[in-house]
Amino acid sequence: MANRYLIANWKMNLPPAGIEPYMAQVAPVDAGDVRIVIAPPFPYLEDVAALKRGTSVAAQNCGDHEKGAYTGEVAASMIRDCGARLVILGHSERRHVYGESDALIARKLAVALLTGLIPVLCIGEDLRTREAGKVAMALAGQIRATAIESLEGADEVVIAYEPVWAIGTGRNATGAVCAETVVHIREALTRFWPRRHANAPVLYGGSVTPENVGDLETNGGINGYLVGGASLDAGKFLGILRVMRRLT
Ligand code: PGA
């Protein structure tokens, strides 16, 4: 089980340099104890998997049923068949742009676990919630709503703390804000999830760059990063990895 992660979330983009040159730069790198994960859009999962070497592949979403008449959805088993080991669930763009509810995300979590994919469950508060001082309550609510039975038998679940106000905005949470929030997340995990997940890796996501990751790494109390914008450039993505490795 990896304890440190660096995940490239390409969202609905491809690296401008192209998949092959990108993977030629990223895949051979010695990442030490950091598990590097690449999350391309669905149609490119196999291409990335074919070039992955020591890295892992994730999908950015999955359907909430095992199979059936669900036009436009992609089953967790199909994702696994394409070479992915992980799946990002409940990303704030899924929650806020596409209206995914906690209940839907909980069903996706169940299907992912049943299929043997490692879920990367995203949680995070919006700006109003933070300004109202209700962060702990909001995050605990998201964790409680996904406290499904099959977590009892799950070996590995990754949590990604992604404050909505920090995603794609250029405004990242500081290390101090992360550290304080991770305490709330761990309290909620201990309270609502099976005990085995009390030490689940907690990642941070939201405008992470090689420039700001030093503070997050030193003060954030986190186990890695889910990177959007900066992950499209292999040089920047590896710049983040370099800071992670230097500081350990
Ligand atoms: P960002 O995206 O790094 O572009 O803010 C992070 C994410 O949404 O996972």
Side-chain angles (χ1 to χ4, degrees), residues 160-164 166-167 173 178 203-208 224-228:
Y161 168 54
E162 298 217 311
V164 179
I167 297 175
C178 263
L203 320 186
Y204 166 75
S207 299
V208 177
Y225 306 94
L226 180 50
V227 187

Side-chain angles (χ1 to χ4, degrees), residues 162-212:
E162 298 217 311
V164 179
W165 48 270
I167 297 175
T169 57
R171 180 180 168 192
N172 68 293
T174 60
V177 166
C178 263
E180 183 189 295
T181 312
V182 169
V183 171
H184 298 316
I185 293 171
R186 293 217 177 275
E187 271 167 16
L189 286 175
T190 307
R191 184 149 168 228
F192 298 116
W193 278 27
R195 185 191 300 252
R196 64 190 313 175
H197 300 294
N199 295 319
V202 177
L203 320 186
Y204 166 75
S207 299
V208 177
T209 64
E211 291 73 35
N212 62 29

